[in-house]
Amino acid sequence: MTAIPVATATLEVRSVTMRFGGVLAVDDVSFSARTGEVLGVMGPNGAGKTTLFNVISGVQRPTSGDVSLRGVRLTGRSVEDVASCGVTRTFQTPVMFWGLTVRESVEVALAAREFGGTYPPAPLRELAPCGLGSPGRRHAQAALRERADVLLAGAGIAAMADRATESLAFGEERLLELARALAVEPTVLLLDEPLSGLNPDEVDAVIASIRAARTDGVAVLLVEHAVGELLSVADRVVVLDHGRMIAEGLPAQVAADPVVIDAYIGDELE
Amino acid sequence: MYGRTGLVLLVVVAAIVWILPSYYTGLLTLIGLYALVTIGLNLFMGYAGQVSLGQAAFFGVGAYTSATFAVKANITPWLGMVLGAIVAALVAYALSFVALRLRENLLALATLALGIVINVVFNQWDFIGGTSGLKDIPGFTIGSFTFDQRAYAILAWALVAVGIWFAGNLVRSSFGRSLIAISAGELGAQALGVHSERLKRQTFVLSAVYAGAAGAIYASQASYIDPTSFSFLLSVNFVLMSVIGGLRSLWGAVIGATVVVALGQILQNVVPVVLPSARGDFQSFFLGVILIAMLILLPRGITSRLSEARRA
Amino acid sequence: MMASLWQYVLSGVVDGAIFALVAAGFVLIYQVTGLINFAQGEFAMIGAMTAAALATAGMPTLAAAGIAVLAAAVVGALCYLLAIRPARKSTGVTLIFITLGLDVALRGLALFVWGTNPLSLNAFSSGNAIALFGGALPPQAMWVLGSDVIVFAALYLFFRHTYAGTAVRAAVANPPIASTFGIPLRTFAFWSFVVAAAIGGLGGVMIAPITSATYDMGLTLGLAGFVAAVLGGLDSLPGALVGGFVLGIVEHVAGGLWSTGWEQGVGFLILVLVLVLRPQGLLGRATRRA
């Protein structure tokens, strides 16, 4: 196991426990993620990976323990507040904004940051300028559009920009969801099985996006069932089994760890 | 686009009121006021994906506020209209802390219940007339000119033009797109930092402003209001207007209001001829059946069919 | 003071027993279909109006009551077949609006059939009021409470001790798996409407001798049933029973001590408080499956 100096840690998960009735979905898990690294989160089905993501992103409140970002406590905040702090996520089943085009979906993500803050009061900041169609607002709208196009080009899906989200294939939905998440310029990005259901080209595109995000200094947490891809893209790996963290280390170390092979990779190979 | 078309509509209304019999001018006013309420409702239900079964209560709050100030304190309805919108907004703001925590089924139930509680208040509060309501509500005036039916129609449709212009800007801005994102996948939007509750609250309050302003004009135009004018059935009517025109459509609100008011007139005149025993609000049978039929056959409203035809 | 308070409680018990019946139908449909049926109160209205109309036409009270319950059940079946089933693929909000449409349509239909005048129904048994610790219960109260006992016992036995009841519970807990086992969800949805309507109709028949029957009684009764069901946690039959009594007693006590006009307002304030503070209901567990 590698010890991580606290100073370089971005996201800190401390003794998080999540109990549903009598079931311990996550049992006293602690780890941290650093800027500019891809942290793989491995484990067989029901190991507690998605629950862990739910806790980090504020969807669920842990029974005990807490999560903090650069010393700022995230636990207890709402999902949108956690996102405003710089932690965003994707979902196992992509969430699409039906009724919007691809570009507009990205604009929503970009506008969410713009609408942040506390002064002036929300109606004067959001409702009034948008409804009155003020010149400033129109400029901002045009700027959003440009930035959205840049992001879509970066994700390699510029050609989809004007398509309705209802018309996307599954793989395209994943690519859009990732582009949308990157639009909020996250400090920490949680990806829940971003490769499942993709064709090889799309897999390459997603992996390229993940590597690019890492270069930009994002801490990427990656849950993925495709163990080969996960080990090749991750800088470091934590392994969960039945809610407990059973290993942590470099991909090569973890892959060779008999405990891990026993609990997880062994299952997969059989 | 919305603003310009709204202006054209206003000009048309301002022109035809001079040839329309005053009874129909009155109906035109009513259509305008209901359209205004429905535009607000469509923002909240169609765009933000929420439900309100209590919108008649905000219409009533606007009407009662303006009427009470006018009757008791002799305050001009012009100011009353602003006060009506403000009080409706404040009520909606307070209620939003209860209602907006809930989803679908429970939100429908809660807004329905809150609408009825507000109606109970109208009934029980003697200061605002209790069950007998308020009579002789002063009309709008400009200088020495007291509004006639024509002037009310023009006023109502001027507000429709403004309302649809504002709402049109809104739905094409980041605000409106965020609402659509919330209705499609609230958690997904929240994970991007969209403050869904704050946006829903602003939309709910805005819908109450539309309803409150419309209610204030209604009070002065009708010159008499009582609690039955703002019952649950009116809320159902607003839902019907939304559904008929298409929930996610602003012009649909205008179309829906027109269809429902016209339908009410036809039913009122035709049904008693065919069925002499029909009394009371028997139209509700047809409203209910039409609502169900629309939802089964054309769930996205008349305007969805129109825009498909245009595309084809 | 204490004596009249006790009397309010007793009157509340009678009303509460009827709210519990409406709530039971409501919970039944919600459990099986996940749908809040805004037309539930109209089933009670149909029961009450049919019984009163038949009795006025000279039919013996009990026979009229029996036919009325059947009539409500038939209306429930038609509602499902004509309005709910064709739209079963719709989203939640559409279905909410459809049941809302059913509510107003049934009320309008009642106006056509029976007009606006209230109809009265004789009590099912004659006799003096039953004295109870200084308060009095009308003889009809025994019928009301008796039907509560029968309905809730029957539902309990069905769900706990029959194969079909177990299948319904399984289907509700896990629809995809249930359909692999050939459990016919759609049939259950149909029967949930029929039974819910019959139970609601029974509630209406029971209350008709106390309040008389009018075409517009459904909304008030339905809303009281909703409040009772929500108090009980929406998906719990015992909760509906308890919720009905709590609501009935609170409304009568508040109405008696304050002013009757506020009764309904008090009921809804309770509803709102429960929705916000304890959405799982008074009896519900604090944590529930998602």
Side-chain angles (χ1 to χ4, degrees), chain A residues 80-81 83-84 88 96-98 100 104 107-108 111-112 115 122-123 125-127 130-132 137 141 144 180 184, chain B residues 165-166 169-170 173-175 177-178 180-181 184-185 187-196 198-199 202 206 248:
Chain A
E80 50 264 54
D81 282 344
S84 305
T88 190
M96 286 293 107
F97 301 150
W98 284 3
L100 298 179
E104 287 166 350
E107 284 177 35
V108 165
F115 280 164
R125 202 170 65 234
E126 300 167 350
L127 186 74
C130 286
L132 296 172
R137 192 56 235 165
Q141 209 77 41
L144 285 182
R180 230 171 45 192
V184 305
Chain B
W165 166 75
F166 189 90
N169 284 334
L170 206 59
S173 71
S174 303
F175 191 100
R177 286 173 189 154
S178 302
I180 293 176
L187 187 57
Q190 287 171 310
L192 299 172
V194 174
H195 281 75
S196 69
R198 202 173 69 205
L199 293 176
Q202 291 175 60
L206 181 66
R248 191 170 287 175

Side-chain angles (χ1 to χ4, degrees), chain B residues 98 101 105 116-117 124 233 285 288, chain C residues 104-105 223 261-262 268 272 276:
Chain B
V98 176
R101 290 169 160 213
N105 277 329
I116 290 180
V117 170
Q124 296 299 314
L233 201 60
F285 170 71
Chain C
V104 273
L223 289 172
W262 290 98
F268 286 131
V272 167
V276 171

Side-chain angles (χ1 to χ4, degrees), chain A:
Chain A
M1 293 212 184
T2 7
I4 302 148
V6 176
T8 62
T10 295
L11 182 79
E12 190 119 24
V13 174
R14 267 185 303 260
S15 319
V16 164
T17 296
M18 187 77 206
R19 191 189 299 271
F20 297 110
V23 182
L24 269 173
V26 176
D27 184 5
D28 194 23
V29 168
S30 304
F31 63 85
S32 48
R34 290 173 285 198
T35 23
E37 79 164 349
V38 177
L39 178 66
V41 180
M42 280 173 49
N45 277 328
K49 302 175 304 255
T50 295
T51 307
L52 187 63
F53 269 23
N54 284 346
V55 168
I56 296 173
S57 60
V59 176
Q60 286 168 329
R61 228 195 139 116
T63 314
S64 64
D66 63 27
V67 179
S68 56
L69 181 72
R70 289 185 180 141
V72 177
R73 196 175 136 98
L74 298 182
T75 304
R77 289 175 193 256
S78 65
V79 178
E80 50 264 54
D81 282 344
V82 170
S84 305
C85 290
V87 179
T88 190
R89 67 173 291 181
T90 64
F91 296 85
Q92 248 177 60
T93 315
V95 177
M96 286 293 107
F97 301 150
W98 284 3
L100 298 179
T101 65
V102 169
R103 183 191 289 115
E104 287 166 350
S105 316
V106 176
E107 284 177 35
V108 165
L110 291 168
R113 286 176 50 117
E114 200 178 308
F115 280 164
T118 50
Y119 188 84
L124 297 180
R125 202 170 65 234
E126 300 167 350
L127 186 74
C130 286
L132 296 172
S134 65
R137 192 56 235 165
R138 279 205 294 271
H139 281 131
Q141 209 77 41
L144 285 182
R145 195 185 152 94
E146 276 169 30
R147 280 166 63 201
D149 281 336
V150 170
L151 277 160
L152 290 171
I157 49 174
M160 292 174 11
D162 289 311
R163 279 174 61 191
T165 42
E166 289 93 329
S167 73
L168 300 182
F170 187 75
E172 294 171 328
E173 292 186 349
R174 283 235 187 277
L175 294 176
L176 169 58
E177 199 184 34
L178 183 57
R180 230 171 45 192
L182 289 170
V184 305
E185 292 175 20
T187 314
V188 176
L189 176 59
L190 312 172
L191 301 177
D192 200 346
E193 301 199 19
L195 301 177
S196 78
L198 300 189
N199 67 35
D201 286 347
E202 290 164 345
V203 168
D204 290 345
V206 169
I207 290 181
S209 288
I210 293 174
R211 294 213 161 108
R214 177 178 60 177
T215 313
D216 292 343
V218 180
V220 181
L221 267 68
L222 178 62
V223 162
E224 186 48 61
H225 264 126
V227 178
E229 275 85 357
L230 183 122
L231 292 176
S232 75
V233 79
D235 299 306
R236 223 155 41 86
V237 177
V238 297
V239 186
L240 300 181
D241 187 28
H242 294 107
R244 301 189 63 91
M245 199 166 92
I246 58 168
E248 178 183 11
L250 299 174
Q253 295 171 337
V254 167
D257 188 332
V259 180
V260 175
I261 295 171
D262 192 39
Y264 174 70
I265 300 177
D267 283 359
E268 294 275 312
L269 293 180
E270 269 161 24

Side-chain angles (χ1 to χ4, degrees), chain B residues 279-292:
Chain B
R279 277 182 306 267
D281 46 6
F282 61 83
Q283 294 109 314
S284 67
F285 170 71
F286 298 96
L287 296 181
V289 170
I290 293 166
L291 180 58
I292 295 167

Side-chain angles (χ1 to χ4, degrees), chain B residues 53 98 101 104-106 109 112-113 116-117 120 124 232-233 275 278-279 281-282 284-286 288 291-292 295-296, chain C residues 34 36 38 83 96-98 100-102 104-105 108 111-112 215 219 223 226 234 259 261-262 268 271-272 276:
Chain B
L53 302 184
V98 176
R101 290 169 160 213
E104 286 195 353
N105 277 329
L106 292 183
L109 206 50
L112 169 60
I116 290 180
V117 170
V120 169
Q124 296 299 314
F232 169 63
L233 201 60
L275 271 172
R279 277 182 306 267
D281 46 6
F282 61 83
S284 67
F285 170 71
F286 298 96
L291 180 58
I292 295 167
L295 289 165
I296 292 172
Chain C
I36 292 203
F38 281 91
I96 293 173
F97 289 163
I98 286 183
L100 195 63
L102 279 175
V104 273
L111 255 179
F112 276 128
Y215 79 99
L219 183 63
L223 289 172
F226 296 150
L234 256 183
S259 138
W262 290 98
F268 286 131
L271 170 72
V272 167
V276 171

Side-chain angles (χ1 to χ4, degrees), chain B residues 45-61:
Chain B
M45 301 208 302
Y47 288 87
Q50 308 299 306
V51 192
S52 169
L53 302 184
Q55 213 65 12
F58 298 130
F59 189 66
V61 167

